Amino acid sequence: MTVTKEPEGFFILDDGRVRCFLFVGENDALLIDTAFPDSNIIDEVKKITSLPVKVALTHGDMDHTGGLKDFGKCYVHGEDFKMIPDSIEKHELKEGDILTAGNCSLKVIHIPGHTYGSIAFLEEEKSFILTGDGVQKNGMIFMFGENRNFPLYLESLKKLRDLVKSRNIKKIYPSHSECPLPPEAAKKVLEDAENIYAGKIPMLKKHEFFPCNIYQCAFTGFLYSN
């Protein structure tokens, strides 16, 4: 596990497959996502802080919820409740909600498509945004299976593109692949996604074990089955 403290005051916890984000305040801490079950994210969190930890999720995929068993409850958009184990206490996050920890205030932005309950966390004053899996560079964005909706995803990317521009966002923090990304990444991922959905990008090959095809675009890649 690689732990990095960002200039904005929060920690990035990266196990080489997925990254989580930890914001530490005076009385409690906020953890965004919990990685895979075998990431043992709680051990890394305890090395940084002994404060009570609140967990919020960008979405309900297993590589973001695997460590929930060690925390017992989470805050997540209601559309992804069904993806969270019944043993976990769930609290709903909605568009516009604010989560605070330390000197950061994170505004919930609903960006459905990758999952129906996918959200981003916007820090307007410090000009950054956490986008979960929706924006990646040279990654493989999962867009196949029952929890995905490509038309909704395209609309969410347009929303992110416009938000990044209107709020003068300087950094995008994705959950996978290169990090951080420049603000134009949202626009570039949108362009790639639009080209795939329009049938302009040929399939690279079938995935060896997932029921989808691999697409490599100008900026990023997708696992997609139309």
Side-chain angles (χ1 to χ4, degrees):
M1 183 78 67
T2 301
V3 177
T4 306
K5 188 171 184 180
E6 288 296 289
E8 293 83 0
F10 64 92
F11 297 86
I12 299 176
L13 286 63
D14 191 336
D15 76 350
R17 300 168 295 175
V18 64
R19 61 181 62 90
C20 306
F21 304 89
L22 180 66
F23 298 80
V24 180
E26 291 185 5
N27 301 311
D28 58 11
L30 173 66
L31 176 66
I32 306 296
D33 292 338
T34 64
F36 287 95
D38 65 356
S39 301
N40 298 315
I41 199 73
I42 194 168
D43 294 337
E44 299 303 322
V45 170
K46 286 180 176 179
K47 292 176 185 177
I48 298 170
T49 181
S50 59
L51 293 171
V53 177
K54 177 188 294 185
V55 173
L57 302 176
T58 58
H59 62 292
D61 278 341
M62 181 272 294
D63 56 330
H64 298 257
T65 65
L68 280 177
K69 65 185 185 302
D70 296 313
F71 298 93
K73 60 183 177 180
C74 69
Y75 291 77
V76 60
H77 194 278
E79 291 284 352
D80 277 7
F81 270 23
K82 65 181 180 180
M83 301 177 69
I84 308 302
D86 292 339
S87 59
I88 302 300
E89 180 183 326
K90 294 172 279 290
H91 300 269
E92 186 176 8
L93 288 175
K94 302 184 296 296
E95 174 88 13
D97 285 349
I98 304 290
L99 297 177
T100 60
N103 61 355
C104 291
S105 294
L106 302 176
K107 185 177 183 180
V108 172
I109 308 296
H110 188 205
I111 50 168
H114 175 66
T115 68
Y116 287 92
S118 287
I119 57 178
F121 293 96
L122 171 68
E123 220 302 348
E124 294 191 66
E125 184 176 334
K126 293 178 173 53
S127 301
F128 70 83
I129 188 168
L130 315 180
T131 55
D133 285 5
V135 176
Q136 298 176 34
K137 181 179 181 182
N138 296 326
M140 281 293 159
I141 300 174
F142 282 43
M143 287 304 301
F144 68 93
E146 64 177 340
N147 294 310
R148 322 299 179 188
N149 185 309
F150 215 111
L152 275 180
Y153 176 61
L154 291 176
E155 292 305 309
S156 292
L157 287 175
K158 293 174 185 176
K159 181 179 181 178
L160 283 175
R161 174 201 61 192
D162 295 345
L163 186 69
V164 164
K165 183 177 180 180
S166 65
R167 300 296 195 277
N168 196 29
I169 296 304
K170 303 299 185 185
K171 291 182 182 179
I172 295 175
Y173 288 92
S175 296
H176 301 278
S177 302
E178 298 183 30
C179 181
L181 297 176
E184 60 266 23
K187 177 176 181 290
K188 291 182 177 180
V189 173
L190 171 61
E191 291 170 352
D192 284 351
E194 287 178 327
N195 285 332
I196 284 182
Y197 197 65
K200 297 179 180 179
I201 305 293
M203 174 188 79
L204 184 62
K205 61 181 179 179
K206 290 186 177 295
H207 198 279
E208 59 182 329
F209 54 87
F210 287 140
C212 63
N213 302 320
I214 299 174
Y215 293 84
Q216 187 59 57
C217 306
F219 189 78
T220 194
F222 289 86
L223 299 183
Y224 175 53
S225 178
N226 55 7

